[in-house]
Amino acid sequence: MEKTFVMLKPDAVQRNLAGEIISRLEKRGLKLVAIKMLRIDNELAEQHYGEHKGKPFFQSLVNFITSAPVIAMIWEGENAVQVARKMMGNTDPQKAEPGTIRGDYALFTGNNIVHGSDSLESAAREIGLFFSPGEIINYKKELEPWVYGD
Ligand code: IDP
Ligand code: MG
């Protein structure tokens, strides 16, 4: 089953939105298979956001993501990468549809509360940056047939 990397950014933790966002992903039927809170250091921030190096917002992005703790997670499910991205909404929260996480809880691109991998390749890379294989839990949930059918 597909895995995606989702991170609750410092603003989500500070604004007490962690439970709400986790709850949405859970209720959708995605399965949480790894979770940890950490304070990202500069090196990890620059690796994680490497594709944006050189862009005008890069330094403020690194400053922001290292400013306070984040919650890093791996969620599993059919098409998990695209499903999670769609639930997050547009990068610019003012363009994100109501009903999406960013569209409901954020107003500013620099503080858009959640990160989600944008492709299978990014998901594999980001999962490898934040988690060791032993931290990823392989388990069954009895309600899976109720989510996907038999
Ligand atoms: P994504 O988070 O929706 O995948 P990306 O384009 O990968 O969006 O950008 C990574 C993060 O960098 C965004 O979530 C946002 O926090 C920040 N960012 C992107 N574009 C801008 C911008 O134009 N100004 C300020 N911050 C930006
Ligand atoms: Mg991105």
Side-chain angles (χ1 to χ4, degrees), residues 48-49 51-52 85 88 91 102 115-118 122 126:
H48 175 65
Y49 282 125
E51 64 174 305
H52 299 299
R85 287 287 287 188
M88 286 162 44
T91 303
R102 287 163 169 169
H115 167 86
S117 309
D118 63 7
S122 306
E126 293 166 358

Side-chain angles (χ1 to χ4, degrees), residues 5-71:
F5 177 73
V6 175
M7 181 167 66
L8 308 181
K9 296 185 180 183
D11 48 344
V13 175
Q14 294 298 318
R15 292 178 55 208
N16 303 321
L17 293 169
E20 176 67 31
I21 298 167
I22 289 170
S23 183
R24 284 185 178 217
L25 297 163
E26 266 188 318
K27 286 176 187 165
R28 184 72 192 271
L30 293 172
K31 181 163 72 175
L32 185 62
V33 297
I35 182 166
K36 69 167 86 162
M37 177 177 262
L38 71 154
R39 180 81 181 256
I40 296 182
D41 63 18
N42 263 292
E43 190 187 340
L44 180 57
E46 296 202 4
Q47 280 178 299
H48 175 65
Y49 282 125
E51 64 174 305
H52 299 299
K53 216 166 189 161
K55 294 184 185 169
F57 59 86
F58 182 71
Q59 197 51 53
S60 66
L61 178 59
V62 168
N63 292 347
F64 173 66
I65 212 70
T66 58
S67 65
V70 301
I71 296 175

